[in-house]
């Protein structure tokens, strides 16, 4: 082991998609950057693994719409730099109770922001979306430019381009200690590294790392059962047949949303999941065996996706790190300005990662960030009225 102290401009802890994109932007800006991960890469114990994620602009909040727009440009740039295809356009079907507030808000955001979309009338629904039953009382729209991101491939591409710009990756090195200061010292099991600034992008392990720098955030770590369901007629819900991704708001079966991606990575299997899960310790993820969501999904499949066998063929695991308002944390440490935190991506952060990496790199370089980061500030968590305490 090399115990000599090496000095960097910036150290990024966490080589998931957010840390990898942060490192990519830093290296592009000629910063000598070290990207550390506790596990040997690639691995499937965090939040960025798996073949696919949804990319969509259909969000209630304008700030997310603008951030996705910026992300599309940067995704295209990474596709060119790495020479790989990272996005396939499928469209996104959004279904939800016509009179529900969130459905109405997304609908008006789509209209006000000029997001390309088709509003489907009930009588024409099945002609556009075969093999899906639209719930009575639900409205439906298709965001036509949304699609599927190839997640594992994207993580690899960002890391490869980072290394191409001279960035260093050290995997299999868990950060065990952080000493703040004008030069930050980071100790792993096998090395000591120093840098002018530090970015913590540690996913579900964020709070464990923040204990070293005297901070805790209100983050909840959830285990997600990633379920794949067999098509009764192969191809009926496939990318090839232009079946879209979907989000079902307020399903009758449960409190949280249900969503899906067309069959693609495992031919004949459609990914369809519950947008929540049970709390877990990230180091003991597989001890969390709650599968009540799978029963909920089965009932939903029977009712709305009659072309799928209502028992999952494959169940994989992933984690969400959720904040109380489901908005991210993108901010400086409140006392140590040269420590920057990206956390709480709340199950929807992948699509934004090129922009997240950009703003985290800007914060760590002491620059004014390209986007308004007020929704993502740490001090929003401590603004509850004192009387509530
Ligand atoms: C099932 C599922 C579906 C999702 N669907 C979508 C979607 O459709 N669209 C979308 O946009 N987003 C989606 N997301 C969310 C998205 O995948 C996440 O927001 C994103 O992957 C978070 O990335 P991250 O880099 O923060 O975390 P991670 O990928 O977990 O990376 C953190 C890294 O930090 C490392 N680390 C932690 N502690 C240490 C330490 N002490 N020392 C060294 N390294 C350390 C970990 O090993 C890990 O590699 C989904 C997530 C899940 C789980
Ligand atoms: O980020 C997304 O677009 C999806 C929506 C459904 C839940 C999981 N994440």
């Amino acid at each position: 082991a090399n115990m000599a102290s090496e000095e960097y401009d910036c150290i990024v802890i966490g080589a998931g998609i957010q840390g990898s994109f942060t490192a990519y932007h830093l290296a592009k800006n000629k910063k000598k950057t070290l990207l550390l991960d506790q596990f040997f890469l690639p691995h499937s114990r965090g939040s960025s693994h798996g073949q696919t994620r949804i990319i969509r602009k259909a969000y209630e909040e304008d700030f997310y719409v603008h951030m996705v727009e910026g992300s599309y440009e940067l995704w295209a740039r990474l596709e060119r730099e790495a020479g790989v295809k990272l996005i396939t356009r499928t469209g996104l079907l959004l279904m939800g109770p016509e009179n529900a507030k969130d459905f109405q808000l997304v609908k008006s955001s789509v209209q006000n922001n000029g997001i390309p979309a088709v509003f489907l009338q009930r009588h024409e629904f099945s002609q556009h979306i075969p093999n899906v039953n639209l719930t009575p009382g639900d409205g439906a729209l298709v965001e036509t430019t949304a699609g599927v991101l190839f997640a594992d491939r994207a993580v690899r591409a960002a890391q490869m381009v980072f290394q191409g710009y001279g960035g260093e990756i050290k995997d299999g090195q868990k950060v065990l200690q952080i000493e703040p200061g004008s030069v930050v010292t980071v100790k792993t099991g096998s090395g000591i590294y120093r840098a002018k600034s530090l970015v913590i992008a540690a996913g579900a392990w964020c709070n464990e790392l923040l204990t070293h720098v005297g901070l805790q955030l209100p983050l909840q770590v959830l285990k997600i059962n990633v379920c794949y369901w067999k098509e009764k007629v192969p191809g009926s819900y496939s990318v090839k047949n232009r079946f879209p991704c979907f989000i079902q708001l307020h399903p009758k079966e449960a409190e949280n949303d249900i969503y899906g991606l067309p069959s693609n990575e495992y031919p004949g299997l459609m990914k369809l999941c519950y947008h929540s899960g049970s709390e877990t310790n990230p180091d003991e993820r597989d001890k969390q065996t709650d599968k009540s969501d799978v029963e909920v999904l089965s009932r939903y499949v029977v009712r709305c996706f009659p072309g799928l066998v209502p028992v999952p063929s494959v169940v994989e695991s992933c984690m969400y790190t959720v904040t109380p308002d489901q908005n991210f944390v993108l901010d400086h440490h409140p006392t140590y300005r040269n420590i920057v935190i990206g956390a709480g991506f709340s199950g929807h952060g992948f699509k934004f990662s090129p922009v997240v990496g950009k703003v985290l790199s800007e914060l760590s370089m002491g620059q004014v960030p390209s986007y308004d980061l007020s929704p993502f500030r740490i001090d929003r968590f401590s603004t509850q009225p004192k009387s509530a305490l």
Side-chain angles (χ1 to χ4, degrees):
N2 169 23
M3 296 302 288
S5 166
E6 292 180 50
E7 183 152 343
Y8 294 88
D9 291 320
C10 188
I11 296 172
V12 179
I13 305 176
I17 194 63
Q18 312 297 5
S20 297
F21 252 119
T22 306
Y24 159 105
H25 287 288
L26 285 164
K28 271 197 161 185
N29 279 282
K30 305 200 163 47
K31 299 295 169 192
K32 183 171 155 61
T33 305
L34 173 63
L35 177 60
L36 288 171
D37 205 281
Q38 61 186 336
F39 300 130
F40 289 101
L41 303 173
H43 73 85
S44 55
R45 290 183 56 185
S47 303
S48 301
H49 61 284
Q51 306 283 313
T52 52
R53 295 291 188 279
I54 298 170
I55 181 165
R56 62 179 160 112
K57 293 181 190 169
Y59 265 88
E60 284 175 29
E61 303 89 344
D62 290 348
F63 58 85
Y64 281 130
V65 176
H66 299 146
M67 286 169 80
V68 188
E69 283 165 350
S71 293
Y72 264 106
E73 280 173 37
L74 295 175
W75 280 119
R77 186 175 302 173
L78 179 60
E79 284 183 318
R80 288 193 299 273
E81 290 166 332
V84 293
K85 185 173 151 69
L86 297 176
I87 300 185
T88 189
R89 180 170 152 174
T90 61
L92 170 87
L93 166 66
L94 180 72
M95 298 179 284
E98 195 75 73
N99 55 15
K101 195 174 153 215
D102 50 1
F103 185 71
Q104 286 303 327
L105 286 173
V106 179
K107 224 171 130 172
S108 37
S109 166
V110 164
Q111 281 163 328
N112 298 338
N113 287 298
I115 297 168
V118 179
F119 295 81
L120 296 178
Q121 299 302 311
R122 173 163 295 276
H123 66 86
E124 57 183 2
F125 181 82
S126 58
Q127 154 202 338
H128 285 87
I129 313 284
N131 307 311
V132 178
N133 297 326
L134 182 63
T135 303
D138 273 14
L141 67 86
V142 175
E143 180 197 335
T144 50
T145 51
V148 174
L149 270 166
F150 300 123
D152 282 336
R153 197 188 283 174
V155 174
R156 251 188 340 262
Q159 293 172 355
M160 203 186 81
V161 174
F162 166 64
Q163 288 173 310
Y165 281 103
E168 261 183 80
I169 299 180
K170 292 186 193 282
D171 59 359
Q173 292 207 34
K174 183 177 163 91
V175 172
L176 303 170
Q177 214 182 311
I178 300 169
E179 283 169 22
S182 59
V183 172
V184 184
T185 304
V186 165
K187 292 184 184 159
T188 70
S190 44
I192 300 177
Y193 309 102
R194 292 157 63 80
K196 295 183 190 72
S197 69
L198 175 70
V199 177
I200 299 176
W205 290 267
C206 180
N207 270 334
E208 183 185 314
L209 273 164
L210 290 180
T211 57
H212 304 299
V213 290
L215 182 66
Q216 287 294 279
L217 298 172
L219 301 174
Q220 206 187 14
V221 177
L222 304 179
K223 174 178 173 175
I224 306 300
N225 294 315
V226 183
C227 301
Y228 289 88
W229 310 74
K230 191 174 176 200
E231 297 165 330
K232 291 176 182 167
V233 177
S236 42
Y237 299 98
S238 76
V239 164
K240 279 192 198 116
N241 287 334
R242 305 199 52 78
F243 194 83
C245 298
F246 83 91
I247 298 176
Q248 170 74 63
L249 302 174
H250 308 290
K252 292 214 176 316
E253 290 76 7
E255 248 177 75
N256 293 287
D257 304 343
I258 290 172
Y259 66 99
L261 290 83
S263 64
N264 173 65
E265 56 264 44
Y266 303 136
L269 301 185
M270 177 174 183
K271 191 189 237 179
L272 193 149
C273 306
Y274 188 48
H275 182 48
S276 191
S278 294
E279 202 151 9
T280 188
N281 170 338
D283 290 314
E284 299 183 342
R285 185 195 68 190
D286 294 346
K287 279 194 185 168
Q288 173 53 267
T289 56
D290 184 2
K291 289 233 158 54
S292 48
D293 57 335
V294 180
E295 288 163 38
V296 163
L297 292 170
S298 291
R299 280 185 272 133
Y300 178 75
V301 164
V302 169
R303 186 169 66 81
C304 298
F305 282 72
L308 295 174
V309 177
V311 177
S313 298
V314 172
V315 181
E316 297 177 348
S317 302
C318 191
M319 290 183 293
Y320 284 0
T321 307
V322 184
T323 62
D325 58 10
Q326 300 194 45
N327 292 327
F328 316 147
V329 171
L330 306 170
D331 203 351
H332 293 280
H333 185 290
T335 16
Y336 310 116
R337 301 285 297 172
N338 61 344
I339 299 182
V340 167
I341 300 158
F345 293 100
S346 304
H348 67 118
F350 206 101
K351 65 183 77 60
F352 301 102
S353 55
V355 158
V356 164
K358 184 160 194 227
V359 299
L360 292 177
S361 77
E362 289 164 341
L363 290 178
S364 89
M365 293 185 292
Q367 298 174 357
V368 177
S370 309
Y371 292 80
D372 171 21
L373 299 184
S374 49
F376 310 117
R377 289 165 59 123
I378 289 172
D379 64 12
R380 76 185 190 271
F381 298 129
S382 42
T383 54
Q384 290 121 4
K386 291 225 165 62
S387 59
L389 297 173

